Amino acid sequence: MTSDDVRRSKRAQDLELLRGAWEAFAAGDLEAATAALDPHVRWYAADEPDADGTCHNRGEAVAFLRRARADGVSAELLELREVGDRIVSIIQTHIPPDWGEQPPPHGEVVTIRHGKIVEMVVYPTVEEALQAAGASD
């Protein structure tokens, strides 16, 4: 097996890990969905990495997802794009109708190491996430 084969196999595993986590989330299984997260995962908005609501570990991420579900907020994975050694998740958030207009899809740059998600950086647009990940136009 060549180093390229190993890299492709690892990337396929990373993509499957993300797809599986999103499938579990869509099914309402937060435990299975968050099992893919590293215990020290960081999940934050790109422009405010230390803002309120930033998740610094798996426990905070689980609590955030539970609050979102309780508020009637959900999210759907639309697509995964490989950009160099990173993965960009394209996500559609769904909010309750009385909150106003549904937001457009956004992007998250995801870093996976040793079979666990270690970082998710949220960008307001898909284009910004792809650019941050190093995609060329």
Side-chain angles (χ1 to χ4, degrees):
M1 189 177 251
T2 69
S3 62
D4 283 343
D5 291 338
V6 170
R7 194 171 18 262
R8 277 192 293 274
S9 175
K10 180 187 172 312
R11 180 49 51 110
Q13 290 171 1
D14 291 349
L15 291 168
E16 187 56 36
L17 176 80
L18 274 172
R19 280 189 196 97
W22 276 100
E23 287 171 6
F25 180 76
D29 187 348
L30 293 183
E31 294 307 314
T34 57
L37 302 177
D38 183 84
H40 304 289
V41 66
R42 287 201 19 101
W43 186 13
Y44 57 93
D47 58 345
E48 299 182 79
D50 295 314
D52 286 342
T54 293
C55 298
H56 300 90
N57 58 54
R58 185 185 309 151
E60 290 178 0
V62 171
F64 173 84
L65 292 171
R66 283 198 174 118
R67 283 191 308 273
R69 286 273 185 182
D71 289 342
V73 176
S74 65
E76 165 189 13
L77 177 67
L78 300 177
E79 184 180 350
L80 293 174
R81 291 193 194 169
E82 298 177 62
V83 182
D85 64 347
R86 295 178 167 180
I87 299 171
V88 175
S89 298
I90 300 172
I91 299 164
Q92 177 64 62
T93 301
H94 301 283
I95 60 173
D98 60 335
W99 284 21
E101 198 173 311
Q102 294 294 319
H106 70 277
E108 296 187 10
V109 178
V110 180
T111 304
I112 299 174
R113 290 195 188 104
H114 309 295
K116 293 290 183 184
I117 300 167
V118 297
E119 183 179 58
M120 297 180 291
V121 184
V122 181
Y123 290 84
T125 68
V126 173
E127 293 75 23
E128 288 176 81
L130 289 169
Q131 183 177 22
S136 57
D137 293 330

